[in-house]
Amino acid sequence: MLIRKAYRFRLKTNPVLEQKLFRHAGCCRWIWNQIWRMNQRRLDAKQPLIWYQEAAYWLTLWKQSEEYGFLRKVHSQPLQQVLKDLDRAYRDAFDKDQPLKRLPRKKRKHQHASFRYPQGVKLDNRRIYLPKIGWVGFFKSREVEGKVKNATVSWRAGHWYVSVQVEQELPESVHPSTLDVGIDLGVANFASLSNGITYDPISPYRKYQNQLARAQRALNRKVKFSENWKRQKRRIQRLHHKIACCRQDFLHKISTTISENQAVVFVEDLKVRNMSRSAAGTLDEPGRNVRAKAGLNRSILDQGWSEFVRQLDYKLQWKGGWLVKVPAHHTSQECAACGHTSPDNRPSQAVFHCRACGHKEHADINAAKNIRARGHRVLACGGNGIARLLKQEPVGNREGVPPVVSPEAAGIPPL
Ligand SMILES: [Zn+2]
């Protein structure tokens, strides 16, 4: 099995190097915004958009010009990559199969500065070769296995990082375990397993909330764009970065443990569930700013959930296991013992008590058992059911790369 894996390392930079990195990221942002602006005008005038071919032509013209000659100081491939990304973003936005995708937006300065080399990077123990920048040392936190394919260089909270994607041939393996489990993802418990294990949620955001608020107030007192203001701004970025790292670490630990112990994992199809949950008002603390917090809570938690499922999916595949998504209707109201389904079965958030047979259980574990039973039914009903599931969530589509759709098929008029 050929897999793709990414390793992220922090780069060892100095002011000269940082200047080069920022120049690359800046030019990439400039070219994105330039084409974006032209496209905005064309959209307003109801004219056909600029696609990759034309954008590449514009890029060559700009590079030759006196005015935009600064583009020549930057390697050509990251710039072309930007044009491809923008092209992709427009195609996705007009793709009827991806209704959630919106039109690409303008990139703001220093906001997630990054650029990507589709090829040409070389690794040499503790150094990486970035074309037109040179050899750069990095903090080698682990060994890189596999063949280097591409690299993304990005700036986060005051440091530069490189994410190296490698291709690796893994032997087809049989999962060492023969167990399977259903998982219910929720707010009160982050994950509840049908075998009775529950994982408490962590909220690094809540932990650092006061610190963040204090830092934000300090920022507001400072003169905008002064040196003090910039320093304070960096402090806030570091805090946000820390919160993100905590969450990521938490998700990785749980998904690794579960994928090691279970060969097959059943989860709900998340999208439907999210909406029904928040509508039913089963958030952590109902009544206290629910309405105001709901949006925030949901977006934060949702990210956690879908990222967790994504990690479980690829980790299981690497070990020879399998993730199966099951339909999510009423898993929290159905009795795992007798199948009686009613909202009355949930006297409270935490307790499940069946009105028909008297079965009493932790509500989330009851739901996890239902998910597991549904998963078994899906597997038992044979190839068709599985084929349909796989069609919804293609296995090869792990990195969220949408399938290639020609502009004609997406209803986009040709140039
Ligand atoms: Zn029952």
Side-chain angles (χ1 to χ4, degrees), residues 3 25 36 54 163 167 190 221 289 355 367 404:
I3 62 155
W36 178 85
E54 195 191 341
S163 174
E167 219 167 56
F190 173 76
R221 281 196 299 274
N289 292 339
R355 297 285 146 191
V404 180

Side-chain angles (χ1 to χ4, degrees), residues 335-340 345 352 354-359:
C335 172
C338 73
H340 175 65
N345 289 347
F352 183 90
C354 179
R355 297 285 146 191
C357 73
H359 175 68

